[in-house]
Each structure stands twice: as C-alpha cells, then as structure tokens.
Amino acid sequence: MEGAALTAPERNRARARAWAELLRLPALFTVPGDALAGATALSARPDHRTLLAIGSSLCLYEAGMVLNDWADRAEDAVDRPHRPLPSGRVSPTAAFTAACAFTTSGLVLAARAGRPALAIAAPLAATVWTYDLALKHTPAGPFAMAAARGLDLLLGAAATAGNARPALRSAALLATHTLAVTTLSRQETRQGTPTAALAALATTGALTWLVQRRPPTGLPLPRDRRSPDGLLPGRRGRTGPGSADRFPAPQSLTAAFAATYAGTTARPYLHASLNPSPPLTQRAVGAGIRGTIPLQAALIARSGAIATATALFTAALAPAARILARRVSIT
C-alpha cells in the first residue's frame, strides 16, 4: 500500500499539507486587515484588544473554512475529489471537531477583548455556521458571507474602541467586495455566464472610487476607552484643527492602495467575463480574495495619518499570501 511505504516524516508532511489545504492558509493573510480597518475607523491606535480581535477573527475564519469543506464533502467527492476530505487525507470527524474548536477559541478571545467585541463575535460566529450549513446554496448565501466580512471589520472597532458605529461605512464597502467575489465563486466548478464577473468588475470600479472619498469624522469613544484627559488614544495634545490625526493620510497613499486593489482584481474579472470557464473563474475568485488586502489597506490609510504604518503593514501581507498561494490553493 502506498501509505505504508511512506516514512513517518513523510506522513507528517502529507498530513500537514492536507490541513494547510483544508484551512486555505493563503487566505488567512486577508483576515488581519479586517480588524485593523475597524480599529482605525476612529483614528485609534491598534492595541492589545486589537490583537485579541485579530486572533478571534482568524479562529472564526478558519472555523468557516473547515466547516465549508465538511458540509460540502459529498459534493466535493464529485467536483473536487482531490480536496482533503473526499480524498480521505482528513477525516470528517477531525474536520468537524476542528471547526468547533476554532469557533470556541474565537469567542473566548473576543470575550477577553471586552463585551462590545463579544457582542459582535457571537453573531459573526452564528453567521459563519448558518452560511456553511444552511445558506450557502441559497440566494441568501453571498449576502451572509458579505455580512460575515462586515461583522469581522466591526469586531476590530468594537474591541479597540468599544464602539463599532464609526466603522459601519468601511464595513459596508468591504462587505460589498465580498458579495461580488462570493457571487462569482458560485460558478467555479461549472461553465457560467459573464454576469457575475461583469458585476464584480463594476463593483471594483465603484469601490476604487468610493474608498478614496474622505470618511466622516468619527464619533467619540466611550469614557472607559479614553485617556485620562478624555482624548482618543494616540491623540493626546493633538486635537486642534491642524491635527494630522484628524485628516487622512496623504491622498496619494490611499490612491495607490486603491489602484493596487483595482489592478489585482479587474483583469482577472475581465477575463472571466469574456470566458466564464471554471479555470478562469477560479483565477478571478483567487484574485478577488487577494484583492481584499489592498482594499483593507486603502480603508485603513484613509482613516487618518495615524494609520499610515498600519496600512503599510496590511499591504505587506499581500506578497506573503501570493507566495503561499503558489503552494496551497486559496480557493
């Protein structure tokens, strides 16, 4: 038997690769930017609560990845027999157990970030499970996925600032991108129509323009999240009309990230619209997932000069995701 011929190190590597495929590790790099975009919506510096929100987001995201394959294992046995579950490299029991463990860990981390964070993480977890187990193959599926992404951004705002309202506009923009990508992904395994790819292309154009518009001034933080003098974190002594923290980072930086977002997604979307075959559609979906990172960076950069370093860090995750995607499929 082929499995018996493998040495112990080879079996361990094969097992690790199977789990890397199941968890879709390259897609993980698209997650931290959600919480960071939410955290900077109030021009507040990310802190330890933000790190807890990122940890929670990563866990809930992976719960969704694993649960997705667990729920689709029968369908994948026909369309994608090479996937970890239908190929037998990961057992359904192990996958479901991992989904439960990731969900629990995500909620625990959110609870440690505070009640406002948990108040967002709980419906986020419920949305993830409802999407994978009930809504995925219904017309409501893409909207549920978009809602999950928007909630993930709000989780960062709630954890860092205790107030998610100022991040609603950024969450709506990111959710719109996710809606377009998820709708397109529904024809990854079959010959589709140009409609979904054209809609995604139009969405890219609209978001590229909208993300460069100056966001409205953020609302004040709750008292328990302010510094002793009542100012926002990172704004001590800098509340005058000329404060750099009140204005977006250089417009050129936001424009550069927006252009990178458009450049990452537009061409693959166009190719998929001209020939909506499974290979080109899968390539377009992968580009849409990777395009999430520069979109997040643009959302962060426009939040204020204080967020410039955070935006640059988020953008730097894109090359790492691209390199890892050469070894492990992102879709």
Side-chain angles (χ1 to χ4, degrees):
M1 295 177 59
E2 183 179 351
L6 296 177
T7 64
E10 289 172 336
R11 286 196 297 271
N12 290 336
R13 284 195 295 270
R15 187 178 300 112
R17 180 172 181 81
W19 277 96
E21 292 177 18
L22 182 64
L23 297 173
R24 294 177 178 83
L25 290 185
L28 268 185
F29 290 93
T30 71
V31 177
D34 289 351
L36 293 174
T40 55
L42 271 171
S43 295
R45 286 194 178 95
D47 57 16
H48 70 283
R49 296 187 185 96
T50 314
L51 294 178
L52 289 171
I54 291 174
S56 176
S57 295
L58 290 169
C59 289
L60 295 177
Y61 189 88
E62 289 297 25
M65 290 293 100
V66 177
L67 195 62
N68 174 80
D69 278 27
W70 182 85
D72 284 352
R73 61 192 185 280
E75 178 183 332
D76 285 344
V78 177
D79 296 331
R80 296 178 175 181
H82 61 280
R83 292 292 300 161
L85 266 65
S87 66
R89 290 177 293 151
V90 176
S91 72
T93 300
F96 188 79
T97 301
C100 294
F102 276 126
T103 302
T104 302
S105 299
L107 293 175
V108 169
L109 288 171
R112 294 197 62 182
R115 289 183 180 179
L118 182 59
I120 299 294
L124 172 57
T127 302
V128 168
W129 278 74
T130 303
Y131 169 80
D132 283 326
L133 299 183
L135 298 180
K136 184 191 309 180
H137 300 297
T138 72
F143 295 94
M145 179 64 78
R149 200 83 197 199
L151 286 170
D152 201 34
L153 188 148
L154 296 178
L155 175 58
T160 307
N163 184 3
R165 286 182 60 194
L168 285 173
R169 188 170 184 269
S170 293
L173 295 176
L174 187 60
T176 301
H177 167 73
T178 304
L179 176 63
V181 176
T182 306
T183 302
L184 180 60
S185 71
R186 293 191 149 200
Q187 54 189 46
E188 279 187 292
T189 60
R190 57 181 173 82
Q191 187 71 25
T193 65
T195 305
L198 288 173
L201 184 59
T203 299
T204 290
L207 292 179
T208 300
W209 176 72
L210 287 170
V211 77
Q212 297 179 71
R213 298 184 63 189
R214 177 177 296 185
T217 304
L219 298 177
L221 286 173
R223 290 185 177 277
D224 64 342
R225 298 301 176 94
R226 299 185 184 189
S227 57
D229 57 7
L231 303 179
L232 298 181
R235 285 190 171 183
R236 295 178 63 84
R238 301 191 63 176
T239 59
S243 170
D245 292 350
R246 282 186 174 271
F247 296 94
Q251 187 65 21
S252 59
L253 183 62
T254 304
F257 289 141
T260 302
Y261 162 65
T264 301
T265 58
R267 193 171 185 178
Y269 287 165
L270 179 60
H271 289 168
S273 68
L274 295 175
N275 179 11
S277 62
L280 289 181
T281 300
Q282 290 169 16
R283 190 176 305 171
V285 172
I289 295 172
R290 292 192 302 274
T292 303
I293 297 176
L295 177 59
Q296 293 164 336
L299 290 171
I300 294 169
R302 77 194 187 106
S303 296
I306 199 172
T308 300
T310 305
L312 292 172
F313 167 79
T314 301
L317 297 175
R322 190 180 305 113
I323 292 171
L324 188 56
R326 295 171 185 168
R327 301 175 61 90
V328 181
S329 174
I330 200 170
T331 65

